[in-house]
Every structure is written in structure tokens, then in C-alpha cells.
């Protein structure tokens, strides 16, 4: 049986009525025009209501976009180093409040406290990083092909940016979009995931406290259809930056196409860890457990496939099974807990469905596979390992987004790479080997936006580009300098100081 933390009653001690939170539009906190609200609940204990949030719709989005459009005219002219000062201040505030923010994040989203602290640390890193761009945002200068003519390129902001984010990194992912968007001179309408509006609210509160002028950052909470579609359809939104599922990402793409709205999409993954016969087994086991079951498998970069060379297959499976069974499930604020709950009941049912599919398709369930009610009243599911999985089985092809990983045996590195690449996604891959030649071959041939050597598929840092190939994205990269290409457009500037008409490509140059 999976090790669990026994649930001993109310984990939060909530006694008062849940607090009602508001949208943030044009520098003021205000309810949805409809007056309606929705609940955010603790996934470890659904009786714990985290708060009530505005169930907004198009009316609220229209107000937010109008505020952002107006604020843009001033914000775009405000010098980038001065925008940076506000972001530096915000980064300091995130840093000072890291612990309280992390605890709220665990309560609302479910990941264990150590990981929640990591989520906030990523915000701190990203906001500092973006602030640093305030004194860079480099363009290029280059010689002109004509005399007495100066040529350069500069980055220009786009205008109002819509940021639509998922719940699994409820503060980190918004920071990856909003901080770069702002430093580049855009204004933002932010729609957070409906499972994590409190964490989003805390993010916006700190940005406000740091001194953002009214209208520069606006937040509208509410459902994907009611709020999300209103953002996608709004003619004054120039760019939509989306992270979420492929299904919704496709919808975002289609909705934005008729008006040629800029779209940046970061979507799903089916990430693989390759373990070759010569790998350090202890290291590989540690990495697979962290990659597969960290954040309860709810990471876009989660290791949901383990591709193992046949010589080490039996030993690896045995060790993984033993360690997976010993993981402690429970409320993420309790000490010693390794794995928290899934985000909601729909996710739990989806994971159950895939376990059933795996069994029906002929894979061998070696551990887990069931709900874990002993861990608490929330949506707990046992860390689950399938062995003897064939590369084309659905559990090896489709994103489950839960604590389930599939072990696939291969003969050699070439087969491992083919299996790793034989999916529709291309986010993250990893290889465990001591052979430098094999490692470099894998780095070259694995078709993914991230590849790790002797480390699991998770653990991105903000100063390296983040994103995926194939159906994981549409060619953009978040974070690092690469993200500036999402949030700016290039303008080429030619300055002719010859005092005469010079015709490029036509006039002879002496
Ligand atoms: P999701 O269901 O696609 O939702 C993502 C966001 O889109 C939410 O804010 C959601 O709002 C909104 N949305 C839903 N319907 C919409 C519509 N019609 N128009 C506009 N927006 C709409 O994804 P999720 O369950 O939150 O997150 C899990 C997925 O995100 C996984 O597939 C994971 O791989 C992916 N992910 C990818 C990355 C990456 O960087 N590649 C990172 C993290 C997660 P509601 O919450 O109100 O429904």
C-alpha cells in the first residue's frame, strides 16, 4: 500500500465565512458587473473554501481592456529603466513575503510547501530578470549599404496583451508573461485559471503595491468561456499569451486567427526520461521519482514516460516501485508529505480513466492505480507505475497530467530516441548515461525544447528559453531573452543624413 498521511479532521481550521475578492481594473478593486461569484477550494480538503471570486464576463473584460488601452499611451513612453524600478520593488516584495505566499499557494493549489516555495522563487527570479531587461532591451545597429545613412532596429511594444494562465504554476507562469510584457511597455489584461484565483490576486496586489500606474495591469477572474473568449475576441487586444492544454490552445489560435492577433502558445507535454544500461541507477531513480511524481505529476514537463534499456530494466522497475510505494501523500502544509492532491475532481477522474485504459491496453500495473482516501478528504491518487508499456499505447502517447508514469523497454539509444520522439508533443526530455558520446547524440536528436543530461525533465531556470516543439507550442519561447520576441515587434529604422535622395538597390554607390 502507498504510504499516506492519515487525515485527522479539518486541516485548515476554517471557521469564518470565506472572504470575497475582486477584479482589479484601472487601479481599483471591483466586483464583476453581474455581481456573481465562484468559489476557490482547497484540493486537499474541499470543505475548506479559500475565497469567493468575481464570475466575470464580457462587460468586465471590456472595462479592463479599455483601461489597459488608455494606460498604454503613457506606459509605452515611460522609460524602460523606470518601469524596471517598479519591477525591482515588486521582486523585493515577493521575496519578503515568500513564505506566506507559498503557504497560500499550497492551500489553494495543493503542491507541497517546498514546491510552493519554488513556485514563488521562480516569480522572484523572473521579475528580477525582466527588470534587468529595462536597461537592455537591445536592438541592433548595422551599416547601411548607402553612404551617410544610419541603420538600426529597435523593439517596440504591441499594446494591450491578454495573459491566460493555468493553475499548476499559479504564480510562476503569470510572472513569466506579465513581467516581460510590462518591461517591454505593454499593458496587460490577466485572466488566471479558475482553480487558483487567490494566488493570482496576491500577485496583482504586490504589483500594485510596487507602484504600477492604474490600468497598466488589470485582472479579470472567471471562466474560460466567459472571460477567456471575450479577451480573444476583443479587437483592442493585440497579443494573447496563453499557457494551458492543447485543446484550449487550439481554440485560442483559431479565435485569434481572423484578426491576425499575435498568439503565443505554451501547451502540453509527454516527457520522457531515457535510462541507458550504464546509468547511475540511484541518480536515475531519484530523478524519475521527482520528475514523475513531483507536483503530483501535474507539470507540463512531468516525466510521464521512462524509456529504459533492457539490461537495466528489471532493476530500475524494482527500485522505482519500492520508492514510489514509500512516498507519503497528504496535505502539503503538513511536514514530511511528498505528494499532494490532484487539483480537482475532474482531474482525479481523468487519471482513473487513464489507469483503466492502461490496463485494458495490456500494460502491467506495478504499483498505485487507486484513489488514496486515507491521505485526506481531497483528490488524492496513489503514485502509479505501469510496466511493459508499448510506445503506441494511449498511456504512452496522451498527456494524463497526474501521478502516472509508463515504463517502456528498448534495446539501444537509437530506439530510445525514436520512442522518445514518437509523440505529438516536444517539451522536455532527459537522458541518464555516463557515456558522453551517447549524451551528445541524444542532445542532438531528441526533438524537444528542453533536454536534460543526468537530471530529470523538470527544473527550468528563468534565464534559459522555455517552450516546446511540435504540438507543445507555436514556435515561441518564454523566459530568457527569447521572451522579448513575444512581447515586442521589431522596427527597422533608417536615418539618411546625406541631404539627397538615395535609392537603395538602384543608385550606384561610389
Ligand atoms: P486549460 O484547461 O487549457 O486552461 C488554461 C487556461 O485557459 C485557464 O485560465 C482556463 O480558464 C483558460 N480557458 C479555458 N477555456 C478557455 C477559452 N474558451 N478561451 C480562453 N481561455 C480559456 O489548462 P489547465 O488545466 O489550466 O492546465 C493544464 C495544461 O496546461 C496541461 O496541458 C499542461 O501541460 C499545460 N501547461 C503547459 C505549460 C507550458 O509551458 N508548456 C506550463 C504549464 C501547464 P479556466 O481555468 O477558467 O477554465
Amino acid at each position: 500500500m502507498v504510504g499516506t498521511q492519515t487525515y485527522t479532521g479539518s486541516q485548515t481550521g476554517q471557521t469564518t465565512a470565506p472572504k470575497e475578492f475582486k477584479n482589479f481594473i484601472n487601479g481599483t478593486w471591483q466586483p464583476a458587473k453581474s455581481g456573481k461569484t465562484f468559489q476557490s477550494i482547497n484540493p486537499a480538503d474541499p470543505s475548506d473554501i479559500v475565497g469567493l471570486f468575481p464570475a466575470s464576463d464580457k462587460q468586465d473584460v471590456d472595462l479592463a481592456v479599455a483601461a489597459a488601452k488608455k494606460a498604454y499611451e503613457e506606459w509605452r513612453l515611460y522609460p524602460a529603466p523606470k518601469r524596471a524600478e517598479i519591477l525591482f520593488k515588486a521582486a523585493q516584495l515577493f521575496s519578503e513575503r515568500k513564505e506566506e505566499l507559498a503557504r497560500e499557494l499550497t492551500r489553494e493549489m495543493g503542491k507541497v510547501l517546498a514546491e510552493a516555495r519554488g513556485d514563488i522563487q521562480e516569480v522572484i527570479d523572473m521579475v528580477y530578470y525582466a527588470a534587468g531587461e529595462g536597461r537592455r532591451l537591445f536592438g541592433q545597429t548595422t551599416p547601411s549599404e548607402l553612404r551617410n545613412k544610419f541603420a538600426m532596429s529597435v523593439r517596440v511594444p504591441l499594446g494591450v496583451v491578454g495573459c491566460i494562465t493555468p493553475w499548476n504554476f499559479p504564480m510562476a507562469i503569470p510572472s513569466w508573461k506579465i513581467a516581460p510584457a510590462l518591461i517591454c511597455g505593454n499593458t496587460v489584461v490577466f485572466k488566471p485559471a479558475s482553480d487558483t484565483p487567490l494566488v493570482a490576486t496576491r500577485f496583482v496586489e504586490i504589483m500594485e503595491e510596487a507602484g504600477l500606474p492604474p490600468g497598466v495591469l488589470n485582472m479579470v477572474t472567471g471562466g474560460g468561456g466567459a472571460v477567456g473568449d471575450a479577451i480573444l475576441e476583443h479587437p483592442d487586444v493585440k497579443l494573447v499569451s496563453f499557457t494551458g492544454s492543447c485543446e484550449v490552445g487550439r481554440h485560442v489560435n483559431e479565435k485569434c486567427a481572423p484578426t491576425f492577433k499575435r498568439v503565443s502558445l505554451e501547451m502540453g507535454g509527454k516527457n520522457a526520461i531515457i535510462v541507458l544500461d550504464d546509468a547511475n541507477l540511484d541518480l536515475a531513480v531519484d530523478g524519475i521519482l521527482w520528475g514523475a511524481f513531483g507536483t503530483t505529476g501535474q507539470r507540463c514537463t512531468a516525466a510521464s514516460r521512462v524509456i529504459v534499456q533492457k539490461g537495466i530494466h528489471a532493476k530500475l522497475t524494482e527500485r522505482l516501485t519500492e520508492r514510489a510505494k514509500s512516498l507519503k501523500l497528504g496535505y502539503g502544509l503538513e511536514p514530511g508529505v511528498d505528494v499532494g492532491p490532484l487539483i480537482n475532481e475532474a482531474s482525479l477522474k481523468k487519471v482513473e480513466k487513464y489507469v483503466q485504459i492502461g490496463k485494458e491496453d495490456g500494460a502491467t500495473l506495478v504499483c498505485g492505480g487507486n484513489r488514496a482516501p486515507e491521505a485526506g478528504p481531497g483528490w488524492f491518487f496513489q503514485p502509479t507505475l505501469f510496466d511493459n508499456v508499448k510506445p503506441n499505447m494511449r498511456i504512452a502517447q496522451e498527456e494524463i497530467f497526474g501521478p502516472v508514469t509508463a515504463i517502456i523497454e528498448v534495446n539501444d539509444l537509437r530506439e530510445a530516441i525514436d520512442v522518445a520522439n514518437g509523440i505529438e508533443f516536444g517539451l522536455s526530455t532527459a537522458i541518464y548515461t555516463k557515456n558522453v558520446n551517447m549524451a551528445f547524440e541524444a542532445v542532438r536528436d531528441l526533438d524537444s525544447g528542453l533536454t536534460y543530461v543526468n537530471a530529470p525533465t523538470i527544473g527550468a531556470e528563468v534565464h534559459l528559453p522555455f517552450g516546446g516543439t511540435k504540438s507543445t507550442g507555436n514556435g515561441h519561447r518564454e523566459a530568457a531573452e527569447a521572451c522579448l520576441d513575444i512581447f515586442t515587434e521589431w522596427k527597422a529604422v533608417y536615418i539618411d543624413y546625406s541631404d539627397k535622395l538615395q535609392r537603395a538597390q538602384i543608385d550606384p554607390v561610389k
Side-chain angles (χ1 to χ4, degrees), residues 41-62:
I41 55 181
N42 178 343
D45 178 0
S47 69
D48 173 28
I49 298 163
V50 170
L52 299 175
F53 294 85
S56 315
D57 58 29
K58 184 174 180 309
Q59 304 173 77
D60 307 290
V61 171
D62 286 349

Side-chain angles (χ1 to χ4, degrees), residues 197-208:
L198 176 66
V199 174
T201 301
R202 297 297 187 225
F203 180 86
V204 174
E205 283 171 354
I206 287 183
M207 297 297 268
E208 179 195 19

Side-chain angles (χ1 to χ4, degrees), residues 164-169 173 176 191-196 222-232 242-249 251-252 255 265-269 298-301 343 347 350 399 401 427 466-468 472-473 478:
I164 301 178
T165 55
W167 46 264
N168 67 332
F169 279 81
I173 291 178
W176 282 39
K191 184 224 136 5
S194 295
D195 284 305
T196 50
V227 176
D229 278 345
I231 292 174
L232 305 181
F242 168 85
T243 298
S245 61
C246 286
E247 188 191 352
V248 177
H251 170 81
V252 170
K255 278 269 179 189
L265 303 171
E266 293 291 343
M267 299 172 288
Q298 302 171 112
R299 288 184 182 229
C300 51
T301 51
I343 186 68
S347 288
K350 183 178 171 195
E399 188 182 44
F401 225 56
L427 186 51
F466 184 91
T472 292
E478 293 201 304

Side-chain angles (χ1 to χ4, degrees), residues 31 103 135 154 248 305 415:
R103 297 186 84 83
R135 286 191 184 268
V154 293
V248 177
R305 295 181 297 157
E415 189 184 353

Side-chain angles (χ1 to χ4, degrees), residues 9 54-55 93 125 205 234 374 456 474 508:
L93 293 171
D125 296 345
E205 283 171 354
H234 202 297
E374 336 67 278
N474 64 341

